[in-house]
Amino acid sequence: FIAKPCALHVGIKDSDPYEAPPNDILEKVFVSITKYPDQKRLEGLSKQLDCDVRKIQCWFRHRRNQDKPPTLTKFCESMWRFTFYLCIFCYGIRFLWLSPWFWDTRQCWYNYPFQPLSEELYYYYIMELAFYWSLMFSQFTDIKRKDFLIMFVHHLATVGLITFSYINNMVRIGTLVLCLHDSSDFLLEAAKLANYAKYQRLCDTLFVIFSTVFMVTRLGIYPFWVLNSTLFESWEIIGPYPSWWFFNGLLLILQLLHIIWSYLIARIAFKALLRGKTQTLYSPLFSHLLPFFYAWWKRDSSISRM
């Protein structure tokens, strides 16, 4: 009711992709052998069907496009996620701004595990948990993508981490981790929306902002603020509790992924700038990163497939 009219307003057409004409032989090759036939196979199919190689290439291209969701669908999905990420981030930062552990992380461990669970904190956790449950189940009804398994494992792990911290009453440090990661998620979705609407300059600007926020939060604030608290302050205040090793092990793995993604972002962006292709920076970056990036950061696999 909201996203579709917005998409139509910015010029995204409500149309289905061109369907390749039926051909049993080509369809069998496409489904059973390869979706990207090489030159040798194309020439063999050309002789078998008595058809021009170029026409066969066009058939495979149209057939691949049939499996991709239309731009309108991708825009609506991204707009829904942009709305949620922005709202949950604003709610989280407003709630944490008035919380003592936002300003002093040692407050996350005083009187642990006998810390009261406020109504605002409860709703914050429940909304995040419900959203990731919805993402996990909606995968079975949405258009299937190549990263289906990776995304399913990601959503399962995310639900597990949120549930684990809730059961162990680690919700104070958990809210810091959630808010920290939400800080760049809505920027990513906003960049995708601009890309779908073909506002390339806005897309590039949002991507630069997203990259900056991502690296500052993941490589700066997260290790020196969150990990410092979970590794050292918790040990100093309450000692090594039974789940301390497991909890910090997962957080350290998360930090390793932060480093990997930041390196890939910087490398691809640097190469694009060297070639003077700032206008094409966004597309190749996300076509390389998102199948993995969203395995941890809750997004679709790549802009080229969204």
Side-chain angles (χ1 to χ4, degrees), residues 160-178:
L161 284 169
I162 295 176
T163 305
F164 172 80
S165 61
Y166 182 82
I167 293 174
N168 286 272
N169 204 27
M170 298 176 182
V171 289
R172 290 188 176 184
I173 196 68
T175 55
L176 298 181
V177 175
L178 289 171

Side-chain angles (χ1 to χ4, degrees), residues 269-283:
F270 182 69
K271 288 183 178 179
L273 290 173
L274 284 180
R275 292 194 297 266
K277 296 181 178 180
T278 55
Q279 292 293 316
T280 61
L281 173 61
Y282 179 78
S283 178

Side-chain angles (χ1 to χ4, degrees), residues 89-105:
F89 173 70
C90 292
Y91 177 89
I93 201 69
R94 176 182 175 275
F95 160 69
L96 288 173
W97 195 266
L98 303 175
S99 302
W101 62 88
F102 184 74
W103 306 102
D104 179 13
T105 53

